[in-house]
Amino acid sequence: IVRILMYYNCAVIGLGRIGCEFDEKLSSSKPLTHTGIILNNKNSKLIALCDVDKNKLKKYGKKFQITNLYSDYNEMFKNENLDCVSICTPPNSHYEITKAACSSSVKGIFLEKPISISLEQSKKIIKLCKSKNIKLQIDHQRRFSSFYHKIKSEINNPKFGSIQSINLNYGAGIINTGTHILDLLRFFFGNIKTVKGKFSTNISNILDDPNIDGTLIFESGLECTLKSFNVKNFGILECDIIGSKGRFQINLANSTTIYSKINNNQGLVYHNLIHKPFIVNEESSEIMNGFKNLLFCIKNNTDTICNGFDGYYSLQSSLSLIKSAKNNSKKINLSKLKL
């Protein structure tokens, strides 16, 4: 008997902030969580929830009218015929849960960032999914946004000129926040070749995830500086890209200021930059776009927008910056992943 697939049976493991809670705590008309995107996609059906916190299970089971509730993901994979699973648990659990998922009927995995806690486990995750042809999407959400695709197009346009300077300010840890921003930098500028880092005097307030100030050199020869801040004072997450003919000042919470060069017509020594509007209308949330892409890739057997290699390289960059900081800012060369 061949089941005609009208929708994808989905489950969420981990019912915390990105699993369920952001849709309650953040004001948005678009779904911002894994439960939200499954419930708001006509091609998916939420059939099971899993969390070690039984109070959360009870709460969200009742809210979403889900009766298949599990505190043990192994039991869930054994009992449910799942097509897709979202893994929204801490990164130290990602490998074991992915391993269990790959032994089930799952065809796609939406895995929260960072991909894992180590490069070795990350490599195992990629190999497991590849061996079973399971589509793996890492939730580095800015890759799923037309806003950032538009910026990438603009900075690669000859009208922007050659890139002169890249500076990025962030806080809350080189792994927690850093894997997001390093993935975005790779998306904009290509693979990172070397890194140098030092421990910031502005602490991250996250155990085992320091703030690192540093320098990245891309394979293209472009250089980027990272500067960190203590987010307990206020939040900063921004990128400043200066070309020979323009400038992008990007608030990485999805707003930007773009400047273009005008000819000097006032007898001044320097050319001026003038502000131009930069508007990109997003039809759906970034995480929703990532989920749509995952389902598309399952159906058409193509690779995801943010695959396991992307997750691996962003984690590799973060861990290498920490390694450099521990070794007196020694330059660390990043190697290509070989399966």
Side-chain angles (χ1 to χ4, degrees):
I1 298 174
V2 178
R3 179 163 69 101
I4 299 175
L5 189 62
M6 302 301 294
Y7 51 79
Y8 294 88
N9 287 331
C10 302
V12 176
I13 305 174
L15 308 181
R17 296 189 304 170
I18 195 66
C20 288
E21 294 171 350
F22 280 156
D23 284 332
E24 296 178 320
K25 296 180 178 179
L26 302 178
S27 57
S28 175
S29 59
K30 303 170 184 177
L32 303 174
T33 66
H34 286 264
T35 52
I37 60 177
I38 295 168
L39 291 167
N40 284 275
N41 189 303
K42 65 180 181 180
N43 296 314
S44 60
K45 183 178 181 181
L46 183 63
I47 66 168
L49 297 173
C50 180
D51 198 291
V52 294
D53 187 332
K54 293 186 178 180
N55 290 326
K56 287 182 180 179
L57 270 180
K58 182 178 179 180
K59 174 184 176 180
Y60 290 112
K62 180 179 180 180
K63 180 175 181 177
F64 302 127
Q65 298 182 319
I66 305 298
T67 57
N68 300 325
L69 305 175
Y70 298 90
S71 56
D72 183 342
Y73 59 82
N74 287 299
E75 184 181 354
M76 183 186 75
F77 287 127
K78 180 181 178 181
N79 293 342
E80 304 296 337
N81 184 23
L82 294 169
D83 299 300
C84 190
V85 63
S86 287
I87 302 175
C88 312
T89 56
N92 61 359
S93 65
H94 286 182
Y95 169 64
E96 291 297 334
I97 299 176
T98 300
K99 184 178 178 181
C102 288
S103 298
S104 72
S105 60
V106 162
K107 302 175 182 67
I109 297 173
F110 204 169
L111 182 60
E112 267 306 314
K113 62 82 187 173
I115 182 173
S116 187
I117 57 169
S118 71
L119 296 183
E120 185 59 33
Q121 286 193 3
S122 302
K123 183 176 180 179
K124 288 179 180 179
I125 286 172
I126 296 168
K127 290 181 72 173
L128 276 170
C129 292
K130 183 178 177 64
S131 68
K132 297 293 184 71
N133 194 30
I134 293 172
K135 304 307 175 184
L136 177 62
Q137 185 87 285
I138 310 300
D139 193 21
H140 290 299
Q141 294 188 15
R142 290 173 180 83
R143 278 188 186 257
F144 312 141
S145 168
S146 55
F147 176 84
Y148 291 102
H149 282 262
K150 177 66 173 175
I151 292 175
K152 180 178 180 178
S153 175
E154 291 286 337
I155 62 179
N156 284 286
N157 190 311
K159 292 182 180 179
F160 190 69
S162 58
I163 294 175
Q164 302 181 95
S165 173
I166 309 165
N167 297 287
L168 197 143
N169 301 321
Y170 78 101
I174 194 61
I175 295 176
N176 176 56
T177 302
T179 49
H180 265 314
I181 60 176
L182 290 165
D183 180 72
L184 180 64
L185 291 170
R186 284 189 63 249
F187 175 66
F188 281 164
F189 306 113
N191 288 329
I192 300 168
K193 184 178 180 181
T194 64
V195 302
K196 291 176 68 176
K198 65 177 183 178
F199 292 110
S200 175
T201 56
N202 301 313
I203 62 174
S204 74
N205 301 293
I206 300 176
L207 186 65
D208 298 325
D209 187 7
N211 276 346
I212 302 290
D213 299 334
T215 304
L216 317 173
I217 305 293
F218 296 88
E219 289 182 353
S220 64
L222 288 174
E223 181 174 321
C224 173
T225 59
L226 300 178
K227 179 64 180 178
S228 57
F229 292 84
N230 188 337
V231 296
K232 276 197 170 181
N233 299 322
F234 45 79
I236 289 183
L237 189 58
E238 60 189 18
C239 186
D240 191 4
I241 306 168
I242 301 175
S244 57
K245 300 179 182 178
R247 180 181 189 180
F248 266 100
Q249 288 182 311
I250 311 165
N251 179 330
L252 297 176
N254 286 23
S255 64
T256 188
T257 302
I258 180 174
Y259 297 89
S260 294
K261 188 172 79 171
I262 60 171
N263 292 328
N264 178 4
N265 58 4
Q266 297 178 322
L268 301 176
V269 176
Y270 303 110
H271 294 292
N272 295 325
L273 289 175
I274 60 168
H275 172 263
K276 293 175 61 180
F278 185 83
I279 301 171
V280 178
N281 293 318
E282 299 275 8
E283 294 183 1
S284 59
S285 63
E286 295 169 348
I287 191 171
M288 176 65 91
N289 291 337
F291 183 57
K292 288 178 181 177
N293 176 253
L294 176 59
L295 297 187
F296 175 87
C297 293
I298 294 171
K299 181 180 179 181
N300 295 280
N301 194 27
T302 56
D303 205 5
T304 56
I305 291 176
C306 192
N307 59 38
F309 284 88
D310 296 315
Y312 178 94
Y313 288 128
S314 63
L315 180 62
Q316 180 192 47
S317 301
S318 294
L319 294 178
S320 296
L321 281 162
I322 295 173
K323 181 179 179 180
S324 174
K326 289 180 177 179
N327 288 274
N328 298 313
S329 298
K330 178 183 177 181
K331 182 173 75 174
I332 306 295
N333 296 315
L334 276 60
S335 59
K336 295 291 181 64
L337 173 60
K338 297 179 180 179
L339 296 180

Short mmCIF file of all heavy atoms in Angstrom, two decimals, residues 52-84:
data_model
loop_
_atom_site.label_atom_id
_atom_site.label_comp_id
_atom_site.label_asym_id
_atom_site.label_seq_id
_atom_site.Cartn_x
_atom_site.Cartn_y
_atom_site.Cartn_z
N VAL A 52 11.00 16.98 28.13
CA VAL A 52 11.20 16.36 29.44
C VAL A 52 10.39 17.06 30.53
O VAL A 52 10.15 16.51 31.60
CB VAL A 52 12.70 16.35 29.83
CG1 VAL A 52 13.49 15.46 28.88
CG2 VAL A 52 13.27 17.77 29.82
N ASP A 53 9.96 18.29 30.24
CA ASP A 53 9.13 19.05 31.19
C ASP A 53 7.67 18.69 30.97
O ASP A 53 7.04 19.12 29.98
CB ASP A 53 9.35 20.55 30.96
CG ASP A 53 8.67 21.42 32.00
OD1 ASP A 53 7.63 20.98 32.55
OD2 ASP A 53 9.14 22.54 32.25
N LYS A 54 7.11 17.92 31.86
CA LYS A 54 5.73 17.43 31.69
C LYS A 54 4.70 18.55 31.82
O LYS A 54 3.60 18.44 31.27
CB LYS A 54 5.46 16.31 32.69
CG LYS A 54 6.29 15.06 32.40
CD LYS A 54 5.91 13.89 33.29
CE LYS A 54 6.74 12.66 32.93
NZ LYS A 54 6.41 11.49 33.78
N ASN A 55 5.04 19.62 32.52
CA ASN A 55 4.12 20.76 32.59
C ASN A 55 3.97 21.43 31.23
O ASN A 55 2.87 21.82 30.83
CB ASN A 55 4.61 21.77 33.63
CG ASN A 55 4.48 21.26 35.05
OD1 ASN A 55 3.53 20.53 35.36
ND2 ASN A 55 5.41 21.64 35.91
N LYS A 56 5.11 21.57 30.50
CA LYS A 56 5.05 22.12 29.16
C LYS A 56 4.28 21.19 28.22
O LYS A 56 3.50 21.64 27.37
CB LYS A 56 6.46 22.37 28.61
CG LYS A 56 7.17 23.55 29.24
CD LYS A 56 8.54 23.76 28.62
CE LYS A 56 9.24 24.94 29.25
NZ LYS A 56 10.59 25.15 28.67
N LEU A 57 4.51 19.90 28.35
CA LEU A 57 3.78 18.93 27.53
C LEU A 57 2.28 19.08 27.72
O LEU A 57 1.51 19.13 26.74
CB LEU A 57 4.21 17.51 27.90
CG LEU A 57 5.37 16.88 27.15
CD1 LEU A 57 5.61 15.46 27.68
CD2 LEU A 57 5.12 16.85 25.66
N LYS A 58 1.88 19.15 28.96
CA LYS A 58 0.45 19.26 29.27
C LYS A 58 -0.11 20.58 28.73
O LYS A 58 -1.20 20.60 28.12
CB LYS A 58 0.24 19.16 30.78
CG LYS A 58 -1.21 19.21 31.21
CD LYS A 58 -1.33 19.06 32.73
CE LYS A 58 -2.80 19.14 33.16
NZ LYS A 58 -2.92 19.00 34.65
N LYS A 59 0.62 21.66 28.95
CA LYS A 59 0.17 22.99 28.52
C LYS A 59 -0.02 23.05 27.01
O LYS A 59 -1.10 23.45 26.53
CB LYS A 59 1.18 24.05 28.97
CG LYS A 59 0.87 25.45 28.46
CD LYS A 59 1.96 26.43 28.87
CE LYS A 59 1.68 27.80 28.27
NZ LYS A 59 2.75 28.79 28.65
N TYR A 60 1.01 22.66 26.26
CA TYR A 60 0.94 22.83 24.82
C TYR A 60 0.15 21.70 24.14
O TYR A 60 -0.41 21.91 23.06
CB TYR A 60 2.35 22.96 24.24
CG TYR A 60 2.99 24.26 24.63
CD1 TYR A 60 4.08 24.30 25.49
CD2 TYR A 60 2.48 25.46 24.16
CE1 TYR A 60 4.67 25.51 25.85
CE2 TYR A 60 3.05 26.68 24.53
CZ TYR A 60 4.13 26.69 25.37
OH TYR A 60 4.70 27.89 25.74
N GLY A 61 0.09 20.54 24.78
CA GLY A 61 -0.79 19.50 24.28
C GLY A 61 -2.24 19.97 24.29
O GLY A 61 -2.99 19.77 23.33
N LYS A 62 -2.62 20.61 25.39
CA LYS A 62 -3.98 21.13 25.51
C LYS A 62 -4.21 22.29 24.54
O LYS A 62 -5.25 22.36 23.87
CB LYS A 62 -4.23 21.59 26.95
CG LYS A 62 -5.62 22.15 27.20
CD LYS A 62 -5.79 22.56 28.66
CE LYS A 62 -7.18 23.12 28.90
NZ LYS A 62 -7.34 23.54 30.34
N LYS A 63 -3.24 23.19 24.45
CA LYS A 63 -3.39 24.37 23.60
C LYS A 63 -3.55 23.99 22.13
O LYS A 63 -4.39 24.56 21.41
CB LYS A 63 -2.19 25.29 23.77
CG LYS A 63 -2.26 26.55 22.91
CD LYS A 63 -1.12 27.49 23.19
CE LYS A 63 -1.24 28.74 22.32
NZ LYS A 63 -0.18 29.74 22.62
N PHE A 64 -2.75 23.03 21.67
CA PHE A 64 -2.76 22.67 20.26
C PHE A 64 -3.59 21.42 19.97
O PHE A 64 -3.59 20.93 18.84
CB PHE A 64 -1.32 22.48 19.75
CG PHE A 64 -0.45 23.69 19.94
CD1 PHE A 64 0.77 23.58 20.59
CD2 PHE A 64 -0.84 24.93 19.49
CE1 PHE A 64 1.59 24.70 20.77
CE2 PHE A 64 -0.04 26.05 19.66
CZ PHE A 64 1.17 25.94 20.31
N GLN A 65 -4.23 20.90 21.01
CA GLN A 65 -5.08 19.70 20.89
C GLN A 65 -4.28 18.51 20.33
O GLN A 65 -4.73 17.80 19.43
CB GLN A 65 -6.30 19.99 20.00
CG GLN A 65 -7.20 21.08 20.59
CD GLN A 65 -8.43 21.35 19.73
OE1 GLN A 65 -8.36 21.38 18.51
NE2 GLN A 65 -9.56 21.53 20.39
N ILE A 66 -3.11 18.32 20.91
CA ILE A 66 -2.24 17.20 20.55
C ILE A 66 -2.29 16.18 21.69
O ILE A 66 -1.99 16.51 22.84
CB ILE A 66 -0.78 17.65 20.31
CG1 ILE A 66 -0.73 18.76 19.26
CG2 ILE A 66 0.09 16.48 19.90
CD1 ILE A 66 -1.22 18.38 17.89
N THR A 67 -2.65 14.96 21.37
CA THR A 67 -2.76 13.91 22.41
C THR A 67 -1.54 13.01 22.46
O THR A 67 -1.33 12.31 23.45
CB THR A 67 -4.01 13.06 22.16
OG1 THR A 67 -3.95 12.49 20.84
CG2 THR A 67 -5.28 13.89 22.29
N ASN A 68 -0.72 13.02 21.41
CA ASN A 68 0.48 12.18 21.38
C ASN A 68 1.63 12.97 22.01
O ASN A 68 2.35 13.70 21.34
CB ASN A 68 0.83 11.79 19.94
CG ASN A 68 -0.29 11.01 19.29
OD1 ASN A 68 -0.99 10.23 19.93
ND2 ASN A 68 -0.48 11.22 17.98
N LEU A 69 1.77 12.81 23.33
CA LEU A 69 2.73 13.58 24.11
C LEU A 69 3.79 12.64 24.69
O LEU A 69 3.44 11.60 25.26
CB LEU A 69 2.02 14.32 25.24
CG LEU A 69 0.87 15.24 24.82
CD1 LEU A 69 0.18 15.82 26.04
CD2 LEU A 69 1.35 16.35 23.90
N TYR A 70 5.06 13.04 24.57
CA TYR A 70 6.15 12.16 24.97
C TYR A 70 7.20 12.93 25.77
O TYR A 70 7.54 14.07 25.46
CB TYR A 70 6.83 11.55 23.75
CG TYR A 70 5.94 10.68 22.91
CD1 TYR A 70 5.19 11.23 21.85
CD2 TYR A 70 5.82 9.31 23.15
CE1 TYR A 70 4.38 10.43 21.07
CE2 TYR A 70 5.00 8.50 22.38
CZ TYR A 70 4.28 9.07 21.34
OH TYR A 70 3.47 8.28 20.58
N SER A 71 7.73 12.27 26.79
CA SER A 71 8.89 12.79 27.50
C SER A 71 10.16 12.07 27.06
O SER A 71 11.26 12.42 27.46
CB SER A 71 8.71 12.65 29.01
OG SER A 71 8.46 11.30 29.36
N ASP A 72 10.01 11.04 26.22
CA ASP A 72 11.12 10.24 25.69
C ASP A 72 11.03 10.24 24.17
O ASP A 72 10.09 9.69 23.59
CB ASP A 72 11.04 8.81 26.23
CG ASP A 72 12.22 7.94 25.79
OD1 ASP A 72 12.91 8.32 24.82
OD2 ASP A 72 12.43 6.88 26.40
N TYR A 73 12.01 10.88 23.51
CA TYR A 73 11.96 10.97 22.05
C TYR A 73 12.11 9.61 21.38
O TYR A 73 11.59 9.39 20.29
CB TYR A 73 13.01 11.96 21.53
CG TYR A 73 14.44 11.65 21.87
CD1 TYR A 73 15.19 10.75 21.14
CD2 TYR A 73 15.07 12.30 22.94
CE1 TYR A 73 16.50 10.48 21.46
CE2 TYR A 73 16.38 12.04 23.27
CZ TYR A 73 17.10 11.12 22.52
OH TYR A 73 18.41 10.86 22.84
N ASN A 74 12.83 8.68 22.01
CA ASN A 74 12.95 7.34 21.44
C ASN A 74 11.58 6.66 21.34
O ASN A 74 11.27 6.00 20.33
CB ASN A 74 13.90 6.48 22.28
CG ASN A 74 15.34 6.89 22.12
OD1 ASN A 74 15.91 6.83 21.03
ND2 ASN A 74 15.97 7.31 23.21
N GLU A 75 10.78 6.84 22.37
CA GLU A 75 9.43 6.28 22.36
C GLU A 75 8.58 6.94 21.27
O GLU A 75 7.80 6.27 20.58
CB GLU A 75 8.78 6.48 23.73
CG GLU A 75 7.40 5.84 23.86
CD GLU A 75 6.78 6.09 25.22
OE1 GLU A 75 7.46 6.66 26.10
OE2 GLU A 75 5.60 5.72 25.39
N MET A 76 8.76 8.23 21.09
CA MET A 76 8.00 8.94 20.06
C MET A 76 8.36 8.43 18.67
O MET A 76 7.48 8.15 17.85
CB MET A 76 8.28 10.44 20.15
CG MET A 76 7.46 11.27 19.15
SD MET A 76 7.94 13.02 19.14
CE MET A 76 9.50 12.93 18.26
N PHE A 77 9.66 8.29 18.39
CA PHE A 77 10.08 7.81 17.07
C PHE A 77 9.59 6.37 16.83
O PHE A 77 9.29 6.00 15.70
CB PHE A 77 11.59 7.89 16.92
CG PHE A 77 12.12 9.28 16.75
CD1 PHE A 77 13.12 9.78 17.57
CD2 PHE A 77 11.62 10.11 15.75
CE1 PHE A 77 13.61 11.06 17.42
CE2 PHE A 77 12.10 11.41 15.58
CZ PHE A 77 13.10 11.88 16.42
N LYS A 78 9.50 5.59 17.89
CA LYS A 78 9.05 4.21 17.77
C LYS A 78 7.56 4.14 17.46
O LYS A 78 7.12 3.30 16.64
CB LYS A 78 9.34 3.46 19.07
CG LYS A 78 8.89 2.00 19.06
CD LYS A 78 9.21 1.34 20.40
CE LYS A 78 8.72 -0.11 20.43
NZ LYS A 78 9.01 -0.75 21.75
N ASN A 79 6.79 5.04 18.05
CA ASN A 79 5.33 4.94 17.95
C ASN A 79 4.72 5.75 16.81
O ASN A 79 3.62 5.42 16.34
CB ASN A 79 4.69 5.41 19.26
CG ASN A 79 4.99 4.48 20.41
OD1 ASN A 79 5.38 3.33 20.23
ND2 ASN A 79 4.82 4.98 21.64
N GLU A 80 5.40 6.81 16.38
CA GLU A 80 4.79 7.73 15.40
C GLU A 80 5.42 7.55 14.01
O GLU A 80 6.62 7.35 13.89
CB GLU A 80 4.97 9.18 15.87
CG GLU A 80 4.42 9.47 17.25
CD GLU A 80 2.92 9.31 17.35
OE1 GLU A 80 2.22 9.39 16.31
OE2 GLU A 80 2.41 9.11 18.48
N ASN A 81 4.60 7.68 13.01
CA ASN A 81 5.05 7.62 11.62
C ASN A 81 5.32 9.05 11.15
O ASN A 81 4.47 9.69 10.53
CB ASN A 81 3.99 6.95 10.75
CG ASN A 81 4.46 6.77 9.31
OD1 ASN A 81 5.64 6.75 9.03
ND2 ASN A 81 3.50 6.67 8.40
N LEU A 82 6.50 9.55 11.44
CA LEU A 82 6.84 10.94 11.20
C LEU A 82 7.56 11.15 9.88
O LEU A 82 8.40 10.34 9.48
CB LEU A 82 7.72 11.47 12.33
CG LEU A 82 7.09 11.57 13.72
CD1 LEU A 82 8.16 11.85 14.77
CD2 LEU A 82 6.02 12.64 13.75
N ASP A 83 7.22 12.24 9.22
CA ASP A 83 7.94 12.65 8.01
C ASP A 83 9.00 13.70 8.32
O ASP A 83 10.01 13.79 7.63
CB ASP A 83 6.96 13.23 6.99
CG ASP A 83 5.90 12.22 6.56
OD1 ASP A 83 6.28 11.17 6.02
OD2 ASP A 83 4.70 12.48 6.80
N CYS A 84 8.74 14.51 9.35
CA CYS A 84 9.62 15.63 9.65
C CYS A 84 9.63 15.89 11.15
O CYS A 84 8.59 15.75 11.81
CB CYS A 84 9.12 16.87 8.90
SG CYS A 84 10.25 18.27 8.93
#
